[in-house]
Structures are given as C-alpha cells and as structure tokens.
Amino acid sequence: MKGGLLGEKVRRFSKSKMKLWMLRATTSVLLWTCVVQLVTLGDNWGPRVLKGWPSCFSAESVDGVLHGMKVERASIRDQPLPEKRVYKNNGYLMVSCNGGLNQMRAAICDMVTIARQLNITLIVPELDKTSFWADQSDFKDIFDVDNFINSLRDEVRILKELPTRMKKRAEKGMVYSMAPVSWSDISYYQHQILPLIQKYKIVHLNRTDSRLANNGLPIEIQKLRCHVNFNALRFTPQIEKLGRRIVSLLRKSGPFLVLHLRYEMDMLAFSGCNQGCNEEEVKELTNLRYAYPWWKEKVISSDLKRRDGLCPLTPEETALTLKALGIDENIQIYIAAGEIYGGSRRMKSLSDAFPKLVREETLLDASELKYFQNHSSQMAALDYLVSIESDIFVPTYDGNMAKVVEGHRRYLGYKKTIQLNRRLLVQLIDSYTRGSLSWQDFSSAVKEAHADRMGNPKKRLVIPDRPKEEDYFYANPEECLPPSNEHTTNI
C-alpha cells in the first residue's frame, strides 16, 4: 500500500517536473525569437543595446558599388545578408588563376558564374605566384574574402577550403586537373566539365583566363559576371583605405588624369616592342622573352608590330598624343604602372610636357607603402582604385587592366576613358616628326580620330567565329550598364 502511494507521488512529481521543463523551454524559445526579430529590425526601431551586440561576422563590406572613394566601408553585420541558396551539390571546383591582377579578376568572375550554372561548390581561387611578377599574395591579401563569400551566398556556395573528407581525397591525388577550352559558352561546361565533376567529385581548372565566351550567353549569366565584378570582388580594407587616401591627396590639388603607361620591361619583352630602345636594351628584352617558355620565342619585328598598332605607346609618343588632344599641361597625371623601362631618361619628354607627374611613391610616405611593396598585385589594386576614380583615364595599351578599368568606368556612368587608336597615332606621329605634318594639322587629326573614343556608350563588337578579335565583355558589359540616353560624355 505504501509502495503504491509512493509510486503515485513519484509519477506526479515527474509529471510536474516535465511540465515545468517544457514551460521553461517554450519561454526560452519565445524570448530568443523576440530577440532575433529585434536584432533584425534594430536598424529601424530596435533598442540601442541590441544594435551594439557583437555579430558573428567580423569582416567588412562596401555598400553598393565603389562609386566614391570618400564613402566609408560598412561592416557586414550592418548589411542584410542575401538568403542562402540551397541546391544539390554536384561536386567541388578548384581553380588556379593565371596572369596579372585584372586577368585574374575577370577569370574569378567567370569561375563563379560557371560554378553557379553547374550547381557546384567553388573553393576560394588560388592566385598566380609563378608569373613574371612572382607575387606571393593570396586571395585574402588582395580581396575581402568574407564579402566575396557572403555577397554571393544566394547564387553559389563558396568555401575557403575543401571539407575535411574532400581534402583527404585531394591529398591522395583524387582530383581531375585540366585547362578548359578558351572562349567556350556555358553548354561546354554543362556537357564536358559537369560529367567530370560528377565522376571525380573534385575538378581543378589550372588555367582560367578567357575561358568563358564574351557573347551569346543568357542575360542572367552576363548579369552575374557583373555582380561578381562590381559587388563581390572588393579589395581588402587596408588596400581600399590607402586607395581613398591617394585619391583624397590628388583631389586637394584639383582634377587628375590617370595614365596607364605600359612601357614596362615585362610588357616590352612579351610584346617584342622596342621602339626608342638602344642596342643593349633590345638584347636584354629579347633574352627576357626567351627566358619564359610561355612567351613568344619567335623573332618579332618591332617596327611591323608598331605600325599595326600592337605596341604600347612610348613615353615620347604619349607626350605628343596628350598635347595633341589638348590635355592641360598643368593637370596632375598619376602614373599607374610599374617601373618605366629606361627610367628618367625615357620619361623626360613626358615630364617636360606635363610637369605634374605623380606616383604612389611621390604622394605617400615610404612607411605607408611598406606593406604593399614587392607585391605587384596589391600595388596594381591601388592603381585600379585610383584609375576608376580619376577624371580622365588614358591607357597606352589595351591590356587587361585597361579593359577592366574601362568597363568599370562605364558602369559608374560612362566616365571619360580615352581609348587611343595606336595604329593611326603612330602614323600621324611619324608624319609630324618627319615634318610632313604641321602641329595644327597633327593635333586636329588626333582630336578628330578620338572624338568618339571617350568611353561613351556603344555596342560591343561581336565576331562569332573570331572571339579573340571581338570586343571584350569586361571592357563593355553593356547588359549591366545604365541606359545610354541617361549619360553623355563630353570631349
């Protein structure tokens, strides 16, 4: 009898304890739901104490496109993250980018787009460390990794490294490595690359330059390439902070022009151009070209290439061109380039014509550049930021930086970018220096030739059977640009 009564009391006690536990649990869930809602709405009307709570995210991102360098970066925790896209993962894509900073930048945009279309997980890209520049910078040293991952979470899953299980497969060599066919449309990746990913689970693309077509792609693919380029690929806070400082220093003295003067040793060696070089320099450049097997080893006629407009303008040719275009001799000209081949001797004509030439080194203290020097890609990132903010941008060669900056400036409202017609310019320059063309006629001809080459709206040239010769998508991403009737470019 006592045992039954005792058992009944135990059962009643257990039920009471269970009810109390469930009440506490329900109350906790309700409280946490309220807290989450308040934090979410905190920017509008939530309590101040909630706004000061630490976030899970410590990285920073920029609100919108980098339209003005004066805008301070906002923390990711202040930005609502896009809803994460959920999809069946077909495998993992590892990529090793090749080339300079802007060649790699465009490639990263393509690789994200390909990963999105194939429903695969992208591992944060590996940057080139073996090129002529031998820059040992990793992705995280140049780009804001957390912004890259979080701003694309509604499109594709991106991881900083392979999951443990997949990493073990990679360590055992269970990875399919290849270089995809250049200028391919998305069907190539769906029919050729996706089956390899499904079979091997991990595919490594070891060359990524120009692997996606310029044209003939669905509009959503083109817009995603732009989203990656203009929103996801932010430079690190350190790089952007210094970039803002350079622009601020330049603005204190008025308008400025950025001259992307591609008269550097590697550019001349690669292209085989040696206009204005002495015999010893020509030999040095040729030996350098032969030292890198992926550069052209055949004999190159510098004169022929120059006449065809395939050489970067020399500093002397650049000085004549800028004067002929009517550029104010007192304007600040920021040189966005590495070391100019021939040094001050080759720069004399340009510095005489435009005495306000500046570089990072002349604007900043050595201590401010210490972290970035000997890292060519990080220095190129600084030049990129200054270039998109300049009043005028003039590249002397249509390399990757010239093209990508041109496209970014179009995106920012068709900012003036003078696209030099080098083939015509060298003919006019030769005629002027021979005395067969007066300065007035020379200047008039140069201005007339470039009246419609100022970064104004235009259609991208499409050549279906010759993709290398058609206009580059990243130089004129017209699918993502503001309507042309809203922006005009003054000459």
Side-chain angles (χ1 to χ4, degrees):
M1 188 74 175
K2 288 183 179 180
L5 184 60
L6 180 61
E8 182 65 24
K9 288 181 178 181
V10 170
R11 284 193 294 273
R12 288 178 181 176
F13 177 76
S14 299
K15 288 181 179 180
S16 299
K17 190 174 182 180
M18 179 63 72
K19 289 180 180 179
L20 180 61
W21 182 88
M22 291 182 65
L23 180 61
R24 288 176 176 175
T26 303
T27 303
S28 298
V29 170
L30 288 172
L31 284 173
W32 274 111
T33 300
C34 292
V35 168
V36 169
Q37 292 296 325
L38 287 172
V39 170
T40 303
L41 300 175
D43 285 338
N44 296 323
W45 53 267
R48 289 185 181 181
V49 66
L50 295 179
K51 295 183 182 181
W53 280 18
S55 168
C56 297
F57 302 99
S58 59
E60 296 181 334
S61 67
V62 178
D63 182 18
V65 175
L66 184 65
H67 196 296
M69 298 293 288
K70 295 180 181 179
V71 177
E72 295 295 328
R73 292 169 60 94
S75 171
I76 280 181
R77 65 171 174 266
D78 297 329
Q79 306 285 330
L81 292 177
E83 185 176 348
K84 185 180 292 187
R85 178 170 171 258
V86 179
Y87 57 93
K88 180 182 177 182
N89 181 34
N90 286 319
Y92 297 85
L93 177 63
M94 301 175 66
V95 297
S96 294
C97 301
N98 58 297
L101 174 66
N102 293 286
Q103 183 171 311
M104 294 190 289
R105 183 187 183 101
I108 292 167
C109 297
D110 287 352
M111 293 300 110
V112 169
T113 303
I114 291 164
R116 168 63 175 81
Q117 294 302 116
L118 301 186
N119 286 336
I120 54 183
T121 297
L122 176 68
I123 306 304
V124 169
E126 179 184 75
L127 303 187
D128 192 342
K129 295 181 174 66
T130 61
S131 64
F132 171 84
W133 306 278
D135 188 342
Q136 296 302 305
S137 298
D138 291 318
F139 188 100
K140 63 181 175 57
D141 298 318
I142 299 173
F143 298 109
D144 186 329
V145 181
D146 290 323
N147 182 72
F148 178 65
I149 293 172
N150 290 320
S151 63
L152 291 167
R153 55 186 261 142
D154 60 336
E155 297 286 357
V156 63
R157 185 184 181 212
I158 303 175
L159 300 177
K160 294 181 181 179
E161 59 182 15
L162 286 167
T164 303
R165 182 170 58 87
M166 290 293 111
K167 192 181 295 184
K168 290 180 180 178
R169 289 175 62 94
E171 289 170 352
K172 294 177 182 178
M174 300 170 68
V175 176
Y176 190 89
S177 186
M178 63 176 291
V181 177
S182 59
W183 308 114
S184 299
D185 62 22
I186 203 64
S187 65
Y188 164 79
Y189 290 92
Q190 290 171 333
H191 298 144
Q192 302 294 324
I193 306 300
L194 181 56
L196 293 173
I197 293 175
Q198 292 172 326
K199 178 179 180 180
Y200 294 97
K201 300 305 177 186
I202 308 173
V203 165
H204 172 225
L205 301 185
N206 52 32
R207 287 186 66 86
T208 57
D209 60 317
S210 305
R211 300 297 147 168
L212 196 56
N214 290 310
N215 303 296
L217 299 175
I219 187 69
E220 63 269 17
I221 288 181
Q222 303 291 54
K223 286 187 175 295
L224 178 54
R225 295 166 98 177
C226 291
H227 175 53
V228 182
N229 192 21
F230 303 128
N231 295 288
L233 283 178
R234 302 291 182 199
F235 294 121
T236 64
Q238 295 87 349
I239 291 174
E240 289 203 349
K241 180 180 179 180
L242 195 58
R244 286 195 297 271
R245 174 158 166 71
I246 294 172
V247 171
S248 176
L249 291 170
L250 288 166
R251 286 274 176 235
K252 286 181 180 179
S253 300
F256 68 96
L257 178 152
V258 167
L259 179 64
H260 186 41
L261 188 61
R262 287 250 50 197
Y263 201 78
E264 302 145 315
M265 188 176 189
D266 65 292
M267 182 70 245
L268 300 179
F270 169 74
S271 63
C273 298
N274 51 43
Q275 176 73 12
C277 296
N278 58 40
E279 187 175 330
E280 184 178 342
E281 289 172 334
V282 171
K283 183 178 180 181
E284 182 179 41
L285 293 172
T286 304
N287 290 339
L288 178 60
R289 184 168 69 252
Y290 290 170
Y292 288 84
W294 52 87
W295 286 359
K296 297 174 181 177
E297 296 185 18
K298 63 183 181 182
V299 176
I300 298 176
S301 170
S302 177
D303 290 338
L304 182 59
K305 288 200 71 173
R306 177 176 176 270
R307 286 199 298 271
D308 288 340
L310 300 176
C311 288
L313 293 186
T314 67
E316 298 88 352
E317 292 168 342
T318 302
L320 286 172
T321 299
L322 294 180
K323 288 175 64 177
L325 285 168
I327 301 297
D328 187 347
E329 64 179 14
N330 292 312
I331 195 172
Q332 298 174 98
I333 296 183
Y334 176 91
I335 304 296
E339 184 178 352
I340 302 304
Y341 194 60
S344 57
R345 173 177 62 85
R346 295 306 303 273
M347 288 293 288
K348 188 176 187 308
S349 296
L350 186 58
S351 59
D352 285 347
F354 297 92
K356 292 186 178 179
L357 296 181
V358 296
R359 303 182 63 113
E360 297 112 327
E361 297 88 345
T362 59
L363 290 169
L364 301 172
D365 294 332
S367 59
E368 295 178 279
L369 282 173
K370 183 178 179 181
Y371 178 80
F372 302 95
Q373 286 179 329
N374 300 321
H375 295 283
S376 60
S377 291
Q378 295 181 45
M379 295 293 281
L382 288 173
D383 284 343
Y384 183 96
L385 290 173
V386 180
S387 296
I388 63 173
E389 284 298 307
S390 63
D391 297 281
I392 307 173
F393 177 65
V394 183
T396 61
Y397 186 74
D398 56 353
N400 288 292
M401 177 167 171
K403 292 174 181 176
V404 178
V405 167
E406 177 190 344
H408 204 146
R409 290 173 64 84
R410 288 176 181 275
Y411 184 80
L412 295 177
Y414 303 103
K415 301 177 74 172
K416 185 181 290 186
T417 301
I418 304 180
Q419 303 139 334
L420 299 178
N421 184 339
R422 295 187 306 279
R423 184 171 185 173
L424 177 62
L425 277 172
V426 296
Q427 295 175 17
L428 292 173
I429 289 170
D430 288 347
S431 295
Y432 169 70
T433 54
R434 285 195 303 264
S436 58
L437 197 64
S438 69
W439 174 258
Q440 184 176 353
D441 290 340
F442 170 66
S443 180
S444 297
V446 171
K447 288 176 181 175
E448 182 181 353
H450 293 86
D452 196 37
R453 299 173 67 91
M454 298 284 177
N456 41 302
K458 69 172 185 176
K459 281 288 183 182
R460 196 168 60 240
L461 176 66
V462 179
I463 310 177
D465 297 328
R466 291 176 289 168
K468 290 183 180 180
E469 298 176 30
E470 65 184 6
D471 287 344
Y472 189 45
F473 172 80
Y474 292 101
N476 186 17
E478 58 179 276
E479 294 88 340
C480 319
L481 301 182
S484 60
N485 59 354
E486 293 184 8
H487 295 274
T488 58
T489 302
N490 296 323
I491 298 174

